[in-house]
Amino acid sequence: MKTKTILGLAFILAFGAVLRGAETFDDAMKRAAGDYADRLKAASDDLMATRKRIANEKAPLLDEMRAAEDRILTLQGETQQLDAGEASSANDHRKLFAELDALRKNSTYMATTAHDALTAFGDGMRPGESQALGQRIQALESALDDPSGVPSARAAADAAEFLLERTRRELGGYSAPGSSLVDGSNQVVKGTFAFVGPEAFFLPDGGVAGTVRSRTGSDYPVSYPLTEWKAQDAQAYFQGGHGTIAADASGGKALRLRETRGTLLQHVQKGGIVAYFILGVGVLALLMIFQKAFDLMKVSVDSPQTVHSAVALVAQGERAKAELAINALKPQARELLMVGLRYASGPKEILEEHLESVLLRQRLHFERRLPLLAVIATAAPLMGLLGTVVGMVKTFALITVFGTGNAGKLASGISEVLVATELGLVVAIPTLIAHGFLAHRIQKNLSLLERYALEFVTAASTARANRTVNA
């Protein structure tokens, strides 16, 4: 490219010289060639100088480039080491996190197991044992129930040590001071508890040793004195020596059964306020039964044979003798036949009306208060059912609040609400039987009186017919 440029310049110069006409063509070419040579040499020198300068400037740059490449390689090596270290650290972190999670799960399992074991131990404590161990168990449960939500392995270990210690002590039994109620007394007395196996005993200060049972709704257990337990054997036992104990083969069920019986008043109180209304109705029914029985004894009716002889005299027309015979009868039959004798000479319809009037009056007298007995016999079971329903509503309300965890207490509550039904049946059954008996006796007497009235009407008609024939 440069050669073409130089030739072009030479041609232009030669052409210029021709135009001037001062120089020949050869001279112009020579001069142009000389200028070209000078210019070529100058350009070559400049090129060499430039190359030299470039070479001088390129060396440091190459050195810096090599140094930079070395640093890059070094940094790449360090980066790789850091990446490897980060991967190793992440792997270690995952392992540590997995170990921590395993430790946390183990700690939680230990705490849960310890808590359940403490709960089971607390529920299975013998009467009076909570006085000696209750605070310790509460402290262990509080330590296990960490507010931060992280169970303490140390608390679980403490609970395990406590349970192990109690198991060791259970094998040989132990004694502890405490307070208890004494059966038959509402006083709390101090003394010493002794625990061995499933049994618990209490020796009051200066009193008689006895077996101990828990009481629902009381903070203190109840001690039942064992009078057959010799004092010296009891003292030896409570002092840790050899002695004889009286074990309850029923596990306390016999004592609890005796407590559930109670007195009659306590049994009635279990039925609530409805039970008192049922008893009031029962007393009223009993009074009416006695009254009606007394009335039946007073208003008995003569036998048909006795009345028939008096009615026969009426049929024969012997009024005076008939009146004497009727006066000898009992009040109910006497009143009926005397009214009939008074109107025997009149029309038959009037005689029947008067006799019917006497029968209605006597029916009212016989049956007075008898319907009330039927009402009581019907209402008493319904009142008992009302008491049971009210009690069941209360029981289910308690179940809603406290649940059904204790089946024994639930069964006890249901048995108490059934007391009202029991009392209602106790009142209704005798009242119904008495009503049936009284109604039968009353109906029997009324039927006899109706028979006597019909016989008297027949006898009066016969006497009237005889007088007509004789006339």
Side-chain angles (χ1 to χ4, degrees):
M1 185 66 183
K2 288 180 181 181
T3 303
K4 290 181 180 181
T5 303
I6 294 171
L7 291 176
L9 288 174
F11 177 77
I12 292 170
L13 290 174
F15 183 75
V18 172
L19 291 177
R20 288 193 302 266
E23 292 180 328
T24 63
F25 179 75
D26 292 334
D27 293 336
M29 287 298 294
K30 290 178 180 180
R31 186 173 57 80
D35 291 338
Y36 172 75
D38 293 337
R39 288 177 181 274
L40 183 59
K41 182 179 181 183
S44 297
D45 294 338
D46 291 337
L47 180 60
M48 293 300 293
T50 302
R51 287 180 176 177
K52 184 176 182 181
R53 189 174 63 253
I54 291 173
N56 292 333
E57 292 178 358
K58 184 178 180 181
L61 292 176
L62 291 175
D63 294 338
E64 292 179 2
M65 184 181 296
R66 293 190 188 94
E69 290 177 353
D70 293 338
R71 287 196 301 271
I72 290 173
L73 293 175
T74 303
L75 292 175
Q76 287 178 348
E78 293 178 355
T79 303
Q80 291 177 356
Q81 291 179 356
L82 291 175
D83 291 340
E86 182 180 0
S88 178
S89 298
N91 189 26
D92 294 340
H93 180 268
R94 285 193 296 270
K95 290 181 179 179
L96 291 175
F97 186 79
E99 292 177 358
L100 178 62
D101 187 60
L103 291 174
R104 186 175 297 159
K105 290 181 179 178
N106 291 336
S107 178
T108 303
Y109 174 75
M110 291 174 60
T112 303
T113 304
H115 193 281
D116 293 343
L118 285 176
T119 302
F121 181 81
D123 294 339
M125 283 194 300
R126 290 156 295 191
E129 200 170 11
S130 59
Q131 298 180 23
L133 304 177
Q135 294 182 352
R136 175 61 174 162
I137 292 177
Q138 290 179 359
L140 291 172
E141 288 180 345
S142 299
L144 289 172
D145 297 333
D146 191 350
S148 64
V150 180
S152 174
R154 180 60 185 172
D158 292 341
E161 291 178 359
F162 169 77
L163 295 173
L164 180 60
E165 177 188 358
R166 303 316 307 172
T167 303
R168 290 172 179 171
R169 295 193 66 178
E170 292 291 334
L171 296 177
Y174 68 99
S175 60
S179 301
S180 174
L181 293 168
V182 178
D183 184 38
S185 173
N186 291 326
Q187 295 180 350
V188 179
V189 297
K190 294 183 178 180
T192 304
F193 286 99
F195 307 99
V196 57
E199 288 291 339
F201 301 94
F202 180 72
L203 178 63
D205 297 338
V208 179
T211 184
V212 181
R213 294 292 179 267
S214 59
R215 172 173 288 181
T216 304
S218 176
D219 295 334
Y220 296 96
V222 182
S223 174
Y224 297 88
L226 300 173
T227 55
E228 297 82 3
W229 198 0
K230 296 181 180 180
Q232 57 183 2
D233 292 338
Q235 288 288 346
Y237 173 72
F238 278 89
Q239 292 175 1
H242 295 283
T244 303
I245 62 173
D248 186 359
S250 66
K253 292 183 175 61
L255 293 173
R256 287 195 293 271
L257 182 61
R258 189 184 73 177
E259 288 181 348
T260 55
R261 293 173 181 170
T263 62
L264 179 60
L265 179 60
Q266 292 174 343
H267 186 69
V268 172
Q269 289 175 346
K270 294 178 180 178
I273 188 172
V274 179
Y276 292 102
F277 283 103
I278 295 175
L279 288 182
V281 171
V283 171
L284 178 62
L286 185 62
L287 292 177
M288 287 191 295
I289 290 171
F290 282 128
Q291 181 185 13
K292 296 303 295 180
F294 182 72
D295 289 344
L296 281 177
M297 293 175 62
K298 291 175 60 178
V299 295
S300 58
V301 179
D302 297 275
S303 62
Q305 293 80 6
T306 304
V307 176
H308 181 71
S309 60
V311 172
L313 293 174
V314 175
Q316 296 172 5
E318 298 180 2
R319 183 181 179 89
K321 293 182 180 180
E323 184 174 357
L324 291 175
I326 292 173
N327 285 328
L329 298 177
K330 294 180 180 179
Q332 306 304 321
R334 182 171 66 241
E335 179 186 5
L336 176 67
L337 297 182
M338 287 299 293
V339 171
L341 190 63
R342 189 178 304 125
Y343 296 97
S345 59
K348 180 179 178 183
E349 293 78 8
I350 296 177
L351 175 61
E352 290 177 348
E353 291 293 335
H354 282 287
L355 291 177
E356 183 68 21
S357 175
V358 174
L359 289 174
L360 289 176
R361 184 172 65 253
Q362 290 186 355
R363 179 179 292 275
L364 290 176
H365 177 74
F366 274 115
E367 294 182 347
R368 63 176 181 172
R369 300 187 182 90
L370 191 62
L372 185 58
L373 282 178
V375 171
I376 292 176
T378 305
L382 297 178
M383 294 176 67
L385 181 61
L386 174 62
T388 299
V389 170
V390 172
M392 289 299 293
V393 169
K394 294 180 180 179
T395 301
F396 283 114
L398 294 176
I399 291 174
T400 303
V401 177
F402 300 103
T404 58
N406 194 324
K409 292 182 179 180
L410 181 61
S412 176
I414 295 175
S415 66
E416 289 182 6
V417 301
L418 292 177
V419 170
T421 301
E422 177 190 16
L423 293 176
L425 294 176
V426 167
V427 171
I429 293 174
T431 303
L432 185 62
I433 294 175
H435 176 269
F437 173 76
L438 294 173
H440 172 72
R441 291 296 303 272
I442 291 171
Q443 187 61 39
K444 179 180 178 181
N445 290 341
L446 291 175
S447 298
L448 286 174
L449 291 175
E450 290 176 355
R451 173 185 173 183
Y452 298 159
L454 181 61
E455 290 179 354
F456 187 86
V457 171
T458 303
S461 299
T462 302
R464 191 180 301 109
N466 290 335
R467 286 198 301 269
T468 303
V469 173
N470 293 332

